[in-house]
Amino acid sequence: MELESKVLSKEILYKLYETGKTIATAESCTSGRIGEVITSVPGASAYYKGGTICYSDEAKTKVLGIDAELIAEKNAVSEEVAREMVKGVLNLLGTDFAIATTGFAGPGADAGIPVGTIWIACGTADDIRTLKIEGDEGREENLRNATSKALQFFVQFLTELYPAPADMDQVPKPEAK
């Protein structure tokens, strides 16, 4: 795992462990990579409740409750579907926060949406933010980039909600499980 991912997962740990809040993930193109990074640090079980890998449109509909008509109208790779993925996993797992990804990592694309287009959404039931990534650097790099950007985006969201204490040594460290 890359150093940046480790740093981001620790930032998430400190923010969520400190606040007692929970998170879940709904991943399509990233196929569980975000959940893997979040759970790479000891203590993650205190705040990470789980995730879904809803790779197909059918899974997005059946597992996350996304309206099939929305997917047909907007495409699964859209801001609207990314937002609905956040809402769906928040509802499914009853967490405070969620991160979702949907996109075309490569090699193929659909409906005129280019390879490398990935939508990231994160937030709460009342505040969902989105980010669009574009640019094809090859499948593996697209996935690595989407995972990293999703984590950065979520850390930025958390930092706005919970600014860091002046002395990081005062942040409680979780017990390893």
Side-chain angles (χ1 to χ4, degrees):
M1 181 174 299
E2 297 174 16
L3 178 61
E4 179 189 25
S5 292
K6 288 181 181 178
V7 169
L8 291 168
S9 63
K10 285 191 177 188
E11 287 186 48
I12 292 169
L13 171 132
Y14 292 136
K15 295 287 187 190
L16 295 182
Y17 193 88
E18 174 184 280
T19 60
K21 300 293 186 183
T22 58
I23 184 170
T25 53
E27 300 183 62
S28 183
C29 61
T30 51
S31 302
R33 287 169 173 84
I34 295 167
E36 177 185 19
V37 172
I38 291 172
T39 60
S40 69
V41 294
S45 62
Y47 54 87
Y48 184 72
K49 298 304 175 192
T52 65
I53 300 172
C54 292
Y55 209 69
S56 70
D57 294 351
E58 180 181 14
K60 289 175 183 72
T61 300
K62 286 186 176 182
V63 176
L64 297 174
I66 298 173
D67 187 344
E69 289 181 21
L70 176 67
I71 295 172
E73 180 185 329
K74 296 294 184 178
N75 193 293
V77 180
S78 65
E79 179 178 22
E80 293 84 358
V81 169
R83 287 177 166 279
E84 291 301 310
M85 289 174 70
V86 166
K87 291 176 188 176
V89 80
L90 285 168
N91 184 53
L92 180 68
L93 295 177
T95 58
D96 301 297
F97 298 103
I99 303 172
T101 58
T102 184
F104 292 125
D110 186 34
I113 299 170
V115 171
T117 302
I118 298 170
W119 279 97
I120 298 166
C122 72
T124 66
D126 299 323
D127 186 3
I128 299 173
R129 316 255 176 108
T130 59
L131 174 68
K132 183 180 184 182
I133 299 174
E134 297 178 288
D136 183 15
E137 298 179 39
R139 181 176 177 79
E140 281 307 310
E141 190 58 34
N142 291 344
L143 294 171
R144 189 175 4 266
N145 188 34
T147 301
S148 178
K149 293 282 187 195
L151 292 164
Q152 291 170 10
F153 192 50
F154 183 62
V155 166
Q156 177 185 348
F157 179 80
L158 284 178
T159 301
E160 289 176 23
L161 292 178
Y162 310 113
D167 183 1
M168 282 302 287
D169 290 333
Q170 302 221 351
V171 175
K173 306 292 188 278
E175 297 294 321
K177 287 190 176 184

